[in-house]
Amino acid sequence: MEKLEHIGIAVKNLKESNALFAKLLGKPHYKIEEVASEGVRTSFFDVGGIKIELLEAIRADSPIAKFIEKRGEGLHHLAFGVVGLEDRVKEEIEKGFRPLSEPKDGADNKRIVFLHPKTTNNVLVELCEDKHP
Ligand code: ZN
């Protein structure tokens, strides 16, 4: 992996959690973005070049709604920045990890793939790559 790109945190109420994390980190979020295909609204904080991504469900069938239902709010995923997403996914499959989907659009102008947490010590891992213009 090239770098830890961001840490995803599932929250029930983005507005309240934006205020809470602003208080904790000493600075406000710098953007809010909806990813309709995933049924989430996200906000981003910058902490020394690593981002914190808060995720709020905007639909009952959103993966975030299901996650919170099962496990409550909290740490949701670690995202690693990669170059050459398709090749990287093939390599991870060869190593025994299991992608949850084909590469798809995520927040923050990225293409993303999640690896099944059953193959990664119950930590949901996201591989993400900047979309090329
Ligand atoms: Zn993410």
Side-chain angles (χ1 to χ4, degrees):
M1 309 297 179
E2 280 70 359
K3 64 166 185 176
L4 179 60
E5 216 279 335
H6 65 269
I7 296 169
I9 298 174
V11 303
K12 281 184 184 162
N13 183 311
L14 194 64
K15 201 170 164 224
E16 284 175 12
S17 293
N18 276 339
L20 183 115
F21 276 85
K23 190 160 80 174
L24 175 69
L25 301 172
K27 57 185 151 187
H29 64 280
Y30 65 89
K31 72 168 170 180
I32 289 187
E33 205 182 313
E34 255 182 48
V35 185
S37 59
E38 293 290 294
V40 295
R41 186 178 296 118
T42 65
S43 69
F44 286 88
F45 293 79
D46 177 71
V47 189
I50 311 240
K51 299 164 196 164
I52 304 277
E53 174 188 36
L54 303 184
L55 302 123
E56 172 194 58
I58 52 173
R59 292 196 311 260
D61 67 344
S62 156
I64 293 299
K66 290 178 187 158
F67 177 89
I68 288 176
E69 214 171 275
K70 257 205 224 158
R71 299 174 61 171
E73 294 179 290
L75 279 181
H76 181 260
H77 65 273
L78 297 182
F80 295 98
V82 302
V83 175
L85 185 60
E86 270 79 6
D87 287 346
R88 184 53 69 91
V89 169
K90 277 183 207 147
E91 287 170 31
E92 300 306 338
I93 292 170
E94 279 162 21
K95 287 190 270 181
F97 300 108
R98 209 163 87 223
L100 284 176
S101 73
E102 294 295 312
K104 57 187 177 179
D105 287 349
D108 203 28
N109 202 35
K110 300 267 195 292
R111 293 176 66 246
I112 66 170
V113 170
F114 286 106
L115 300 180
H116 199 295
K118 283 236 162 69
T119 64
T120 50
N121 266 182
N122 275 330
V123 177
L124 182 60
V125 170
E126 174 188 326
L127 307 181
C128 62
E129 177 174 52
D130 284 325
K131 255 192 255 178
H132 302 295

